[in-house]
Amino acid sequence: MKKITMLLLGFIALAVHAQQPVEGSTYFLPKTAIQFHIRVEKTVYEPGELALYSEKYLKLKNVSMEPRTSYRVISVETRSVGVPDTAKQHMALIDKKHSIISLIRDDNGILLAVNTIGRRTEAPKPFVSAAKPAPLNPHDFMNADILAAGTRPKMAELIASEIYEIRESRNQLTRGEADNMPKDGEQLRIMMANLDKQERALLQEFTGTVEKDTTERILTFMPNKETSRQLLFRFSSKLGMVDNDDLSGRPFYVTVEDLHYLPTLNLPDVGKKSKEESGIYVNLPGKIRLSLFDGTQLLGKFEHYVAQFGRSESLSGELFGKKFTTHIVLDPVTGNAQRLEVVPLQ
């Protein structure tokens, strides 16, 4: 009975010892995601009310009678961002044996700095499309005869006549033959601009209007291994960006190439390497090249340092021991040591 009691007491002691918390603080190193910032231009065409008469009165051919909407990709840019790598959760040893005074982490727990102030990733400014000019109203530039025309053919004839008169007035100003010539260059510029504006407004009745707008879509891509071709998104010239399983859109592919290049970690010589662990790790990110294709047509190549294509390094406890303390600033996107300074302790 005594022997059983001693064994039970031993198991209890081991259990209590196992439940004692380790003195330290946990953090994550990041893995790197790539954001594709894709700008898409939308073009909306509305035919003019008098499009049917554009060839008869203005000799304009190929004027469309049907409204249409089209889309096109006008630019693609990439940006790398850091997200917590759950496979790289570590604990920094904060106790009397180590000179780890502070850990700076972002809101997701990614380590930004040790014993100094870290750098947080700045969010990009949201994309804002350029302001569009106010649309012209052709009726604001029509004379009384045009407005009183009883039929579309008659209105088309009168508007075409007005357009020809505007062009003749502009030619006379250009040649210096106008009855009321402007006094200076600035006045001439204003008069020419007004004539151009009148012509554009009246021409809309025949050629229609084209309105363009640009938006930005952000797609997040996580490169984990080399790949020869991976579907990133599908795009339709009639619908814009569509779901990846919507075959109405043509495929845009991305390839991932490992360039097999890692930066070096330059550690100062602090003497014999300590067997003590510090719990501080940094990443040595690998460099990759992403290529984006519209079908088989290459659109662009982008190079980035990516944490998951490299490896992690454990920093010796000697760097945080009784003789030295170390200040480290880490890249929040890759986990690489951007600045590492070893300071002797007095």
Side-chain angles (χ1 to χ4, degrees):
M1 185 68 180
K2 184 176 181 181
K3 185 176 180 179
I4 294 174
T5 302
M6 293 297 292
L7 286 172
L8 288 173
L9 290 174
F11 283 130
I12 292 172
L14 287 172
V16 171
H17 178 73
Q19 293 174 4
Q20 288 179 348
V22 178
E23 295 184 42
S25 187
T26 60
Y27 63 89
F28 293 99
L29 289 180
K31 57 182 176 180
T32 309
I34 306 298
Q35 290 183 339
F36 284 84
H37 292 246
I38 304 164
R39 292 187 182 176
V40 177
E41 182 183 73
K42 177 183 179 181
T43 302
V44 178
Y45 167 75
E46 290 291 342
E49 293 182 6
L50 305 175
L52 185 63
Y53 308 98
S54 57
E55 183 174 2
K56 179 179 180 180
Y57 293 108
L58 292 174
K59 310 304 179 185
L60 298 175
K61 298 182 179 180
N62 301 321
V63 173
S64 177
M65 309 292 173
E66 299 295 329
R68 65 178 179 270
T69 300
S70 62
Y71 298 82
R72 69 186 183 101
V73 175
I74 58 174
S75 71
V76 179
E77 296 179 357
T78 58
R79 176 176 178 265
S80 53
V81 295
V83 297
D85 189 343
T86 55
K88 293 181 179 179
Q89 183 178 19
H90 303 288
M91 177 175 287
L93 302 180
I94 301 177
D95 52 31
K96 294 180 180 180
K97 295 181 180 180
H98 299 88
S99 57
I100 300 174
I101 301 170
S102 68
L103 294 180
I104 304 299
R105 291 156 291 191
D106 69 7
D107 296 337
N108 296 319
I110 294 176
L111 183 63
L112 302 177
V114 181
N115 294 337
T116 187
I117 298 175
R119 179 180 68 86
R120 295 180 181 270
T121 303
E122 294 184 3
K125 294 181 179 179
F127 172 75
V128 178
S129 181
K132 295 185 288 293
L136 297 174
N137 184 357
H139 291 264
D140 293 340
F141 301 89
M142 294 180 183
N143 57 38
D145 290 339
I146 296 174
L147 294 173
T151 63
R152 284 180 179 269
K154 184 61 176 179
M155 177 177 282
E157 180 183 358
L158 293 175
I159 292 177
S161 177
E162 184 73 9
I163 290 173
Y164 285 127
E165 288 184 14
I166 291 171
R167 291 174 178 175
E168 179 61 24
S169 297
R170 186 167 53 224
N171 289 335
Q172 290 178 352
L173 284 172
T174 303
R175 294 192 296 262
E177 299 175 354
D179 294 337
N180 298 312
M181 287 297 297
K183 297 179 181 180
D184 53 38
E186 178 62 19
Q187 192 176 27
L188 175 63
R189 186 192 66 79
I190 294 173
M191 292 177 68
M192 295 289 281
N194 286 333
L195 290 173
D196 290 343
K197 186 176 182 180
Q198 292 175 41
E199 182 180 355
R200 289 199 312 273
L202 294 175
L203 269 176
Q204 285 182 184
E205 290 292 275
F206 297 95
T207 60
T209 60
V210 175
E211 184 176 337
K212 295 185 177 183
D213 190 25
T214 302
T215 58
E216 183 178 81
R217 288 284 302 272
I218 301 176
L219 300 179
T220 301
F221 175 72
M222 182 64 71
N224 290 313
K225 60 181 180 179
E226 278 194 309
T227 177
S228 59
R229 193 172 74 163
Q230 183 173 340
L231 180 64
L232 183 64
F233 65 95
R234 286 185 178 272
F235 190 85
S236 166
S237 59
K238 295 182 179 180
L239 301 173
M241 199 169 292
V242 297
D243 294 337
N244 283 357
D245 58 356
D246 187 343
L247 299 183
S248 68
R250 65 184 188 272
F252 281 66
Y253 297 106
V254 62
T255 65
V256 181
E257 179 186 358
D258 189 349
L259 299 181
H260 300 288
Y261 177 80
L262 277 71
T264 57
L265 180 62
N266 296 317
L267 294 174
D269 185 10
V270 292
K272 185 178 179 181
K273 187 176 180 179
S274 173
K275 294 181 180 180
E276 288 282 341
E277 294 290 334
S278 65
I280 298 297
Y281 289 78
V282 297
N283 281 335
L284 295 180
K287 194 174 187 180
I288 66 170
R289 179 183 294 126
L290 302 173
S291 299
L292 182 64
F293 292 86
D294 178 357
T296 59
Q297 179 183 358
L298 177 65
L299 293 184
K301 295 184 177 182
F302 315 92
E303 294 185 358
H304 291 272
Y305 280 99
V306 175
Q308 53 270 32
F309 277 75
R311 67 174 189 270
S312 297
E313 288 281 338
S314 173
L315 300 187
S316 170
E318 188 68 23
L319 295 172
F320 304 94
K322 296 180 179 180
K323 296 181 180 180
F324 304 95
T325 188
T326 301
H327 303 163
I328 309 173
V329 175
L330 287 82
D331 187 325
V333 173
T334 65
N336 189 24
Q338 291 183 318
R339 182 169 64 87
L340 192 151
E341 180 185 14
V342 178
V343 180
L345 293 174
Q346 301 296 329

